Amino acid sequence: MSCSGRRVARTELDGNGILIIDEDEKFLADAERMFEGGVATAASLADAQRALEDSDVDLVLLGPTFATEGGVKDAGFLVEDDPGMAVVVVAGTVGSTLLRAALRAGFVDVIEAPLDPSKVADAMGHAERLTKRRASSSAPVEPFAAPHREGRVITVMSAKGGSGKTVTATNLAILLAKTHDPSRVCIVDADLQFGDVCLVLQLEPKLTIVNAAHEIDNLDESLLESIVIKHSSGLSVLAAPLEPAFSDEVTTAAMTEIIGRLRHMFDYIVIDTASMLDEMLLSLLERSDQVLYVLDMDLPSVKNAKLALETLRLLKFPSGKIHLVLNRSNSRARLDEGEIEQSLKLKISAAIPSDGMVPASVNEGRPVVESAPRSKVARGFESVLKLVLTNETNRSDRAGKRRWF
Ligand SMILES: Nc1ncnc2c1ncn2[C@@H]1O[C@H](COP(=O)(O)OP(=O)(O)OP(=O)(O)O)[C@@H](O)[C@H]1O
Ligand SMILES: [Mg+2]
């Protein structure tokens, strides 16, 4: 059976072509009930091997009995015998060790018990994307993808909380996903304590950057691929830790390594950050092709921006990479734009107006560029996209002529 022949492409979930393997009779009975009897079942790996001979099974659900490193290894023959087979492990708890073992075996995904149709459908969607990714990476000519190169890192920063980093980063990432191959765009939530990219995009991550950091010595593309979650736009999201206490588990070295890996997997990596000019942020900036400094229209923001930008100048950070994005540009407490530019020694490169639709979109979990693409504020985010794309072109013109503070 070929990869593209996998049942994963079907739109309706029924039991035909599915084999469920587990030693627990109750698990099998529950699963049969869920699929209304349409599935095949096996109580052991030996039974499964027999059941697979001359069958049209293309999706195997490996039950919790086998959701261990050893169990996965023993079941490895499922893919060895038929490389087109999609195997999904159903585990009591999804941990990175199990995930890693499953991916090493060539399985598609690990989902959490109890089994339900939406989880199976999600896993099948994942299998389909994986199939596409594998097919495109082995294809001699990729019609849609850009020529092979390292992805561009765009870091969104501000030295003051609440200035609009997350809304800017998420709307920019969605726009990049809308205007490019969405499977080549990723957003990383590097606000390790209070990251809310997933909240703004209405996603509920199970695995986060913490899992990637735990596996840092063995981190490869397939593992990262299974840790990122997909937004409905096709955008990949590497989520922040689920609790602030876990933030310590992601070291600066781990973050750097993760970004380095992502560069090989995506064309654009947008990084949302915390308002803290610390070692982590400096190391992210060092690895960024472009830095978007989001400036809110008030005096404390301008004061903090001045301090942060001066620090970066002292550190000899290349000024050509930093672009000033003015947020709430039409706010009532309007400051003089010329004075801001003079004070910060930086031109304002893009502007986003203030609009009640922004907080509403945050609460709704749908960025404005999706919910109100024709609005003024969405146009503001489009100006940020344009800025990013224009500077990408300019970069090659400027090659070899780096500008320093
Ligand atoms: N242009 C805008 N118009 C109206 N409201 C906005 C605008 N930009 C941001 N906001 C609102 O301001 C709040 C803060 O925005 P956001 O979360 O993007 O800031 P942040 O810099 O990421 O904050 P933090 O430092 O806490 O991570 C949000 O509730 C958002 O809805
Ligand atoms: Mg934020």
Side-chain angles (χ1 to χ4, degrees):
M1 193 183 312
S2 74
C3 283
S4 54
R6 280 179 176 173
R7 186 167 292 270
V8 291
R10 65 185 156 187
T11 47
E12 284 193 9
L13 187 64
D14 63 42
N16 288 327
I18 298 181
L19 172 67
I20 306 185
I21 316 171
D22 203 61
E23 286 173 6
D24 179 0
E25 277 175 22
K26 184 172 176 308
F27 178 82
L28 292 181
D30 287 349
E32 275 189 301
R33 230 184 337 269
M34 189 187 99
F35 287 105
E36 293 171 356
V39 288
T41 58
S44 69
L45 291 175
D47 282 356
Q49 199 158 25
R50 274 190 293 276
L52 286 170
E53 282 165 16
D54 301 322
S55 78
D56 62 353
V57 168
D58 50 17
L59 174 68
V60 171
L61 297 175
L62 197 60
T65 316
F66 301 99
T68 60
E69 260 186 289
V72 163
K73 215 167 160 195
D74 292 345
F77 70 87
L78 294 166
V79 176
E80 281 159 24
D81 292 355
D82 180 355
M85 183 69 75
V87 182
V88 174
V89 183
V90 187
T93 322
V94 181
S96 40
T97 312
L98 174 64
L99 192 62
R100 174 153 206 90
L103 292 169
R104 277 270 143 88
F107 296 175
V108 159
D109 208 349
V110 180
I111 59 177
E112 210 165 49
L115 211 50
D116 75 43
S118 71
K119 287 181 194 165
V120 178
D122 275 359
M124 292 196 317
H126 187 101
E128 195 179 358
R129 287 194 301 273
L130 217 64
T131 308
K132 272 195 199 154
R133 184 180 284 279
R134 283 173 188 162
S136 73
S137 60
S138 60
V141 181
E142 297 174 42
F144 193 20
H148 185 75
R149 59 185 166 103
E150 284 211 324
R152 300 182 60 76
V153 176
I154 302 134
T155 298
V156 181
M157 73 168 288
S158 163
K160 187 162 172 294
S163 4
K165 294 180 294 298
T166 303
V167 292
T168 304
T170 46
N171 279 285
L172 170 65
I174 298 275
L175 283 174
L176 282 166
K178 278 171 118 183
T179 50
H180 294 78
D181 178 353
S183 70
R184 305 286 300 169
V185 185
C186 176
I187 181 165
V188 177
D189 196 344
D191 181 350
L192 296 179
Q193 287 204 316
F194 300 107
D196 42 20
V197 166
C198 284
L199 188 85
V200 168
L201 295 177
Q202 220 183 2
L203 295 168
E204 285 182 25
K206 285 211 183 68
L207 299 172
T208 69
I209 195 163
V210 174
N211 299 89
H214 284 169
E215 291 293 333
I216 205 70
D217 292 336
N218 311 303
L219 199 64
D220 56 24
E221 292 187 13
S222 58
L223 184 58
L224 259 176
E225 171 72 25
S226 61
I227 291 174
V228 296
I229 39 174
K230 286 277 172 188
H231 180 253
S232 53
S233 62
L235 168 74
S236 295
V237 182
L238 183 56
L242 298 175
E243 290 177 30
F246 298 155
S247 64
D248 287 352
E249 295 177 34
V250 185
T251 61
T252 300
M255 177 69 88
T256 309
E257 182 71 27
I258 292 166
I259 301 299
R261 293 272 159 202
L262 293 174
R263 266 183 187 279
H264 292 288
M265 299 167 63
F266 297 96
D267 292 337
Y268 293 98
I269 301 117
V270 177
I271 308 180
D272 185 23
T273 61
S275 304
M276 185 101 74
L277 198 56
D278 56 4
E279 191 205 357
M280 174 79 76
L281 181 63
L282 290 176
S283 125
L284 286 172
L285 295 182
E286 209 176 305
R287 281 155 188 85
S288 301
D289 297 287
Q290 290 174 49
V291 176
L292 302 181
Y293 190 105
V294 182
L295 181 76
D296 213 347
M297 242 328 182
D298 64 13
L299 268 184
S301 297
V302 177
K303 182 211 87 184
N304 285 12
K306 197 168 163 54
L307 291 174
L309 293 170
E310 268 165 17
T311 306
L312 294 180
R313 274 181 200 117
L314 285 173
L315 295 171
K316 305 222 181 305
F317 189 79
S319 67
K321 285 186 183 181
I322 306 182
H323 307 288
L324 203 54
V325 175
L326 191 62
N327 191 19
R328 297 183 175 93
S329 54
N330 58 341
S331 79
R332 267 192 231 150
R334 242 184 108 75
L335 300 173
D336 184 88
E337 291 184 14
E339 276 180 29
I340 293 178
E341 291 181 334
Q342 212 173 4
S343 163
L344 301 183
K345 300 191 189 101
L346 210 54
K347 288 259 173 250
I348 295 166
S349 300
I352 305 158
S354 177
D355 195 316
M357 264 194 280
V358 176
S361 74
V362 168
N363 293 341
E364 204 189 316
R366 247 187 116 210
V368 278
V369 294
E370 279 198 323
S371 58
R374 286 171 199 280
S375 61
K376 273 196 178 155
V377 68
R379 299 245 162 86
F381 291 117
E382 273 166 22
S383 74
V384 178
L385 171 75
K386 209 167 145 199
L387 168 69
V388 166
L389 300 179
T390 310
N391 279 282
E392 177 178 13
T393 327
N394 287 350
R395 191 179 73 146
S396 47
D397 300 344
R398 280 209 312 265
K401 284 189 242 163
R402 284 207 289 180
R403 199 148 55 95
W404 299 81
F405 277 109

mmCIF file of all heavy atoms in Angstrom, residues 304-336:
data_model
loop_
_atom_site.group_PDB
_atom_site.id
_atom_site.type_symbol
_atom_site.label_atom_id
_atom_site.label_comp_id
_atom_site.label_asym_id
_atom_site.label_seq_id
_atom_site.Cartn_x
_atom_site.Cartn_y
_atom_site.Cartn_z
ATOM 1 N N ASN A 304 10.804 53.093 27.978
ATOM 2 C CA ASN A 304 11.389 51.741 28.011
ATOM 3 C C ASN A 304 12.054 51.379 26.680
ATOM 4 O O ASN A 304 13.097 50.739 26.645
ATOM 5 C CB ASN A 304 10.310 50.700 28.328
ATOM 6 C CG ASN A 304 9.918 50.736 29.791
ATOM 7 O OD1 ASN A 304 10.286 51.657 30.507
ATOM 8 N ND2 ASN A 304 9.188 49.729 30.237
ATOM 9 N N ALA A 305 11.419 51.817 25.588
ATOM 10 C CA ALA A 305 11.992 51.515 24.268
ATOM 11 C C ALA A 305 13.351 52.175 24.136
ATOM 12 O O ALA A 305 14.301 51.579 23.623
ATOM 13 C CB ALA A 305 11.047 52.002 23.179
ATOM 14 N N LYS A 306 13.453 53.404 24.633
ATOM 15 C CA LYS A 306 14.719 54.142 24.538
ATOM 16 C C LYS A 306 15.806 53.372 25.300
ATOM 17 O O LYS A 306 16.914 53.155 24.792
ATOM 18 C CB LYS A 306 14.518 55.544 25.120
ATOM 19 C CG LYS A 306 15.584 56.531 24.743
ATOM 20 C CD LYS A 306 15.123 57.939 25.111
ATOM 21 C CE LYS A 306 16.264 58.926 25.146
ATOM 22 N NZ LYS A 306 17.079 59.000 23.957
ATOM 23 N N LEU A 307 15.445 52.931 26.509
ATOM 24 C CA LEU A 307 16.428 52.195 27.326
ATOM 25 C C LEU A 307 16.824 50.884 26.647
ATOM 26 O O LEU A 307 18.003 50.542 26.557
ATOM 27 C CB LEU A 307 15.845 51.887 28.715
ATOM 28 C CG LEU A 307 15.650 53.104 29.636
ATOM 29 C CD1 LEU A 307 14.933 52.684 30.913
ATOM 30 C CD2 LEU A 307 17.003 53.735 29.966
ATOM 31 N N ALA A 308 15.816 50.155 26.153
ATOM 32 C CA ALA A 308 16.096 48.841 25.539
ATOM 33 C C ALA A 308 16.942 49.012 24.280
ATOM 34 O O ALA A 308 17.924 48.296 24.067
ATOM 35 C CB ALA A 308 14.786 48.139 25.204
ATOM 36 N N LEU A 309 16.565 49.989 23.444
ATOM 37 C CA LEU A 309 17.296 50.171 22.186
ATOM 38 C C LEU A 309 18.722 50.651 22.449
ATOM 39 O O LEU A 309 19.661 50.265 21.751
ATOM 40 C CB LEU A 309 16.538 51.143 21.272
ATOM 41 C CG LEU A 309 15.196 50.591 20.754
ATOM 42 C CD1 LEU A 309 14.388 51.680 20.063
ATOM 43 C CD2 LEU A 309 15.408 49.414 19.799
ATOM 44 N N GLU A 310 18.883 51.468 23.508
ATOM 45 C CA GLU A 310 20.252 51.902 23.833
ATOM 46 C C GLU A 310 21.096 50.722 24.298
ATOM 47 O O GLU A 310 22.276 50.605 23.958
ATOM 48 C CB GLU A 310 20.218 53.008 24.886
ATOM 49 C CG GLU A 310 20.190 54.365 24.197
ATOM 50 C CD GLU A 310 19.795 55.513 25.104
ATOM 51 O OE1 GLU A 310 19.848 55.346 26.342
ATOM 52 O OE2 GLU A 310 19.408 56.559 24.554
ATOM 53 N N THR A 311 20.471 49.852 25.058
ATOM 54 C CA THR A 311 21.207 48.652 25.510
ATOM 55 C C THR A 311 21.640 47.830 24.295
ATOM 56 O O THR A 311 22.778 47.376 24.212
ATOM 57 C CB THR A 311 20.309 47.783 26.428
ATOM 58 O OG1 THR A 311 19.816 48.607 27.468
ATOM 59 C CG2 THR A 311 21.050 46.592 26.993
ATOM 60 N N LEU A 312 20.719 47.667 23.337
ATOM 61 C CA LEU A 312 21.064 46.888 22.142
ATOM 62 C C LEU A 312 22.184 47.568 21.353
ATOM 63 O O LEU A 312 23.062 46.917 20.810
ATOM 64 C CB LEU A 312 19.832 46.662 21.260
ATOM 65 C CG LEU A 312 18.740 45.782 21.875
ATOM 66 C CD1 LEU A 312 17.565 45.627 20.925
ATOM 67 C CD2 LEU A 312 19.289 44.403 22.232
ATOM 68 N N ARG A 313 22.161 48.902 21.332
ATOM 69 C CA ARG A 313 23.230 49.630 20.636
ATOM 70 C C ARG A 313 24.563 49.373 21.306
ATOM 71 O O ARG A 313 25.568 49.112 20.653
ATOM 72 C CB ARG A 313 22.954 51.129 20.667
ATOM 73 C CG ARG A 313 22.076 51.554 19.533
ATOM 74 C CD ARG A 313 21.805 53.046 19.539
ATOM 75 N NE ARG A 313 20.622 53.270 18.754
ATOM 76 C CZ ARG A 313 19.480 53.764 19.209
ATOM 77 N NH1 ARG A 313 19.379 54.153 20.450
ATOM 78 N NH2 ARG A 313 18.431 53.879 18.412
ATOM 79 N N LEU A 314 24.536 49.414 22.659
ATOM 80 C CA LEU A 314 25.786 49.164 23.402
ATOM 81 C C LEU A 314 26.320 47.765 23.099
ATOM 82 O O LEU A 314 27.519 47.534 23.048
ATOM 83 C CB LEU A 314 25.541 49.284 24.913
ATOM 84 C CG LEU A 314 25.397 50.715 25.434
ATOM 85 C CD1 LEU A 314 24.994 50.713 26.904
ATOM 86 C CD2 LEU A 314 26.727 51.460 25.259
ATOM 87 N N LEU A 315 25.384 46.848 22.892
ATOM 88 C CA LEU A 315 25.794 45.464 22.605
ATOM 89 C C LEU A 315 26.135 45.280 21.127
ATOM 90 O O LEU A 315 26.379 44.173 20.674
ATOM 91 C CB LEU A 315 24.668 44.490 22.992
ATOM 92 C CG LEU A 315 24.345 44.438 24.482
ATOM 93 C CD1 LEU A 315 23.085 43.610 24.730
ATOM 94 C CD2 LEU A 315 25.508 43.866 25.263
ATOM 95 N N LYS A 316 26.098 46.362 20.401
ATOM 96 C CA LYS A 316 26.432 46.365 18.967
ATOM 97 C C LYS A 316 25.504 45.475 18.151
ATOM 98 O O LYS A 316 25.921 44.783 17.226
ATOM 99 C CB LYS A 316 27.894 45.958 18.738
ATOM 100 C CG LYS A 316 28.899 46.785 19.502
ATOM 101 C CD LYS A 316 30.080 47.119 18.617
ATOM 102 C CE LYS A 316 31.151 47.933 19.319
ATOM 103 N NZ LYS A 316 30.664 49.173 19.921
ATOM 104 N N PHE A 317 24.240 45.493 18.551
ATOM 105 C CA PHE A 317 23.260 44.744 17.761
ATOM 106 C C PHE A 317 23.006 45.487 16.446
ATOM 107 O O PHE A 317 22.843 46.702 16.451
ATOM 108 C CB PHE A 317 21.951 44.600 18.557
ATOM 109 C CG PHE A 317 20.982 43.665 17.914
ATOM 110 C CD1 PHE A 317 21.148 42.301 18.039
ATOM 111 C CD2 PHE A 317 19.930 44.139 17.132
ATOM 112 C CE1 PHE A 317 20.270 41.422 17.412
ATOM 113 C CE2 PHE A 317 19.051 43.265 16.506
ATOM 114 C CZ PHE A 317 19.235 41.906 16.659
ATOM 115 N N PRO A 318 22.993 44.791 15.302
ATOM 116 C CA PRO A 318 22.830 45.493 14.018
ATOM 117 C C PRO A 318 21.499 46.232 13.924
ATOM 118 O O PRO A 318 20.442 45.612 13.979
ATOM 119 C CB PRO A 318 22.888 44.374 12.977
ATOM 120 C CG PRO A 318 23.172 43.120 13.707
ATOM 121 C CD PRO A 318 23.142 43.351 15.168
ATOM 122 N N SER A 319 21.560 47.556 13.764
ATOM 123 C CA SER A 319 20.332 48.367 13.798
ATOM 124 C C SER A 319 19.424 48.078 12.612
ATOM 125 O O SER A 319 18.209 48.197 12.707
ATOM 126 C CB SER A 319 20.690 49.848 13.804
ATOM 127 O OG SER A 319 21.273 50.170 12.551
ATOM 128 N N GLY A 320 20.000 47.653 11.503
ATOM 129 C CA GLY A 320 19.205 47.407 10.297
ATOM 130 C C GLY A 320 18.172 46.299 10.480
ATOM 131 O O GLY A 320 17.215 46.203 9.717
ATOM 132 N N LYS A 321 18.358 45.486 11.497
ATOM 133 C CA LYS A 321 17.404 44.385 11.701
ATOM 134 C C LYS A 321 16.171 44.821 12.486
ATOM 135 O O LYS A 321 15.180 44.105 12.543
ATOM 136 C CB LYS A 321 18.085 43.278 12.516
ATOM 137 C CG LYS A 321 19.074 42.446 11.741
ATOM 138 C CD LYS A 321 19.535 41.310 12.633
ATOM 139 C CE LYS A 321 20.578 40.464 11.967
ATOM 140 N NZ LYS A 321 20.988 39.362 12.844
ATOM 141 N N ILE A 322 16.283 45.973 13.176
ATOM 142 C CA ILE A 322 15.170 46.369 14.063
ATOM 143 C C ILE A 322 14.199 47.294 13.340
ATOM 144 O O ILE A 322 14.609 48.279 12.716
ATOM 145 C CB ILE A 322 15.690 47.102 15.314
ATOM 146 C CG1 ILE A 322 16.746 46.241 16.011
ATOM 147 C CG2 ILE A 322 14.559 47.403 16.278
ATOM 148 C CD1 ILE A 322 17.268 46.859 17.283
ATOM 149 N N HIS A 323 12.933 46.963 13.420
ATOM 150 C CA HIS A 323 11.892 47.790 12.802
ATOM 151 C C HIS A 323 10.879 48.188 13.872
ATOM 152 O O HIS A 323 10.422 47.337 14.638
ATOM 153 C CB HIS A 323 11.180 47.022 11.688
ATOM 154 C CG HIS A 323 12.156 46.465 10.698
ATOM 155 N ND1 HIS A 323 12.821 47.263 9.814
ATOM 156 C CD2 HIS A 323 12.622 45.213 10.519
ATOM 157 C CE1 HIS A 323 13.637 46.525 9.108
ATOM 158 N NE2 HIS A 323 13.542 45.268 9.516
ATOM 159 N N LEU A 324 10.563 49.443 13.858
ATOM 160 C CA LEU A 324 9.640 49.960 14.867
ATOM 161 C C LEU A 324 8.204 49.838 14.365
ATOM 162 O O LEU A 324 7.873 50.340 13.292
ATOM 163 C CB LEU A 324 10.007 51.433 15.099
ATOM 164 C CG LEU A 324 9.614 52.073 16.413
ATOM 165 C CD1 LEU A 324 10.138 51.274 17.593
ATOM 166 C CD2 LEU A 324 10.137 53.506 16.445
ATOM 167 N N VAL A 325 7.368 49.156 15.147
ATOM 168 C CA VAL A 325 5.950 49.017 14.793
ATOM 169 C C VAL A 325 5.157 49.784 15.842
ATOM 170 O O VAL A 325 5.212 49.454 17.029
ATOM 171 C CB VAL A 325 5.537 47.525 14.790
ATOM 172 C CG1 VAL A 325 4.037 47.387 14.549
ATOM 173 C CG2 VAL A 325 6.323 46.752 13.743
ATOM 174 N N LEU A 326 4.469 50.801 15.393
ATOM 175 C CA LEU A 326 3.712 51.632 16.334
ATOM 176 C C LEU A 326 2.323 51.025 16.510
ATOM 177 O O LEU A 326 1.579 50.881 15.557
ATOM 178 C CB LEU A 326 3.619 53.056 15.766
ATOM 179 C CG LEU A 326 3.091 54.117 16.712
ATOM 180 C CD1 LEU A 326 3.989 54.266 17.923
ATOM 181 C CD2 LEU A 326 2.978 55.446 15.977
ATOM 182 N N ASN A 327 1.992 50.700 17.756
ATOM 183 C CA ASN A 327 0.668 50.124 18.010
ATOM 184 C C ASN A 327 -0.238 51.188 18.617
ATOM 185 O O ASN A 327 0.226 52.106 19.266
ATOM 186 C CB ASN A 327 0.786 48.921 18.941
ATOM 187 C CG ASN A 327 -0.524 48.142 19.019
ATOM 188 O OD1 ASN A 327 -1.385 48.287 18.138
ATOM 189 N ND2 ASN A 327 -0.701 47.345 20.038
ATOM 190 N N ARG A 328 -1.521 51.008 18.396
ATOM 191 C CA ARG A 328 -2.539 51.981 18.840
ATOM 192 C C ARG A 328 -2.166 53.369 18.321
ATOM 193 O O ARG A 328 -2.209 54.358 19.052
ATOM 194 C CB ARG A 328 -2.660 51.991 20.365
ATOM 195 C CG ARG A 328 -3.135 50.659 20.942
ATOM 196 C CD ARG A 328 -3.295 50.795 22.436
ATOM 197 N NE ARG A 328 -3.855 49.612 23.053
ATOM 198 C CZ ARG A 328 -3.115 48.642 23.568
ATOM 199 N NH1 ARG A 328 -1.807 48.689 23.503
ATOM 200 N NH2 ARG A 328 -3.705 47.613 24.144
ATOM 201 N N SER A 329 -1.779 53.404 17.034
ATOM 202 C CA SER A 329 -1.228 54.618 16.448
ATOM 203 C C SER A 329 -2.215 55.786 16.455
ATOM 204 O O SER A 329 -1.813 56.937 16.420
ATOM 205 C CB SER A 329 -0.781 54.336 15.019
ATOM 206 O OG SER A 329 -1.851 53.775 14.293
ATOM 207 N N ASN A 330 -3.520 55.477 16.519
ATOM 208 C CA ASN A 330 -4.517 56.557 16.502
ATOM 209 C C ASN A 330 -5.078 56.820 17.894
ATOM 210 O O ASN A 330 -6.150 57.360 18.033
ATOM 211 C CB ASN A 330 -5.654 56.164 15.560
ATOM 212 C CG ASN A 330 -6.292 54.854 15.999
ATOM 213 O OD1 ASN A 330 -5.685 54.096 16.762
ATOM 214 N ND2 ASN A 330 -7.493 54.583 15.535
ATOM 215 N N SER A 331 -4.374 56.366 18.929
ATOM 216 C CA SER A 331 -4.956 56.479 20.272
ATOM 217 C C SER A 331 -5.085 57.951 20.666
ATOM 218 O O SER A 331 -4.388 58.820 20.126
ATOM 219 C CB SER A 331 -4.114 55.726 21.283
ATOM 220 O OG SER A 331 -3.017 56.492 21.625
ATOM 221 N N ARG A 332 -5.936 58.203 21.647
ATOM 222 C CA ARG A 332 -6.222 59.599 22.003
ATOM 223 C C ARG A 332 -5.001 60.269 22.634
ATOM 224 O O ARG A 332 -4.764 61.434 22.449
ATOM 225 C CB ARG A 332 -7.406 59.628 22.963
ATOM 226 C CG ARG A 332 -8.675 59.812 22.178
ATOM 227 C CD ARG A 332 -9.804 60.127 23.109
ATOM 228 N NE ARG A 332 -10.892 59.206 22.792
ATOM 229 C CZ ARG A 332 -11.756 58.785 23.649
ATOM 230 N NH1 ARG A 332 -11.700 59.148 24.905
ATOM 231 N NH2 ARG A 332 -12.709 57.966 23.268
ATOM 232 N N ALA A 333 -4.228 59.461 23.370
ATOM 233 C CA ALA A 333 -3.031 60.018 24.010
ATOM 234 C C ALA A 333 -1.907 60.114 22.989
ATOM 235 O O ALA A 333 -0.774 59.743 23.259
ATOM 236 C CB ALA A 333 -2.622 59.120 25.160
ATOM 237 N N ARG A 334 -2.260 60.573 21.800
ATOM 238 C CA ARG A 334 -1.301 60.620 20.690
ATOM 239 C C ARG A 334 -0.035 61.379 21.025
ATOM 240 O O ARG A 334 -0.072 62.476 21.553
ATOM 241 C CB ARG A 334 -1.977 61.314 19.503
ATOM 242 C CG ARG A 334 -2.123 60.465 18.308
ATOM 243 C CD ARG A 334 -2.712 61.268 17.184
ATOM 244 N NE ARG A 334 -1.681 61.527 16.182
ATOM 245 C CZ ARG A 334 -1.243 60.612 15.340
ATOM 246 N NH1 ARG A 334 -1.733 59.397 15.384
ATOM 247 N NH2 ARG A 334 -0.323 60.891 14.466
ATOM 248 N N LEU A 335 1.083 60.788 20.722
ATOM 249 C CA LEU A 335 2.361 61.471 20.885
ATOM 250 C C LEU A 335 2.814 61.866 19.483
ATOM 251 O O LEU A 335 2.341 61.308 18.497
ATOM 252 C CB LEU A 335 3.382 60.537 21.528
ATOM 253 C CG LEU A 335 3.027 59.993 22.923
ATOM 254 C CD1 LEU A 335 4.039 58.950 23.351
ATOM 255 C CD2 LEU A 335 2.979 61.128 23.928
ATOM 256 N N ASP A 336 3.735 62.780 19.429
ATOM 257 C CA ASP A 336 4.220 63.219 18.132
ATOM 258 C C ASP A 336 5.157 62.160 17.529
ATOM 259 O O ASP A 336 6.170 61.788 18.145
ATOM 260 C CB ASP A 336 4.959 64.551 18.311
ATOM 261 C CG ASP A 336 5.393 65.100 16.971
ATOM 262 O OD1 ASP A 336 4.597 65.821 16.363
ATOM 263 O OD2 ASP A 336 6.509 64.766 16.526
#
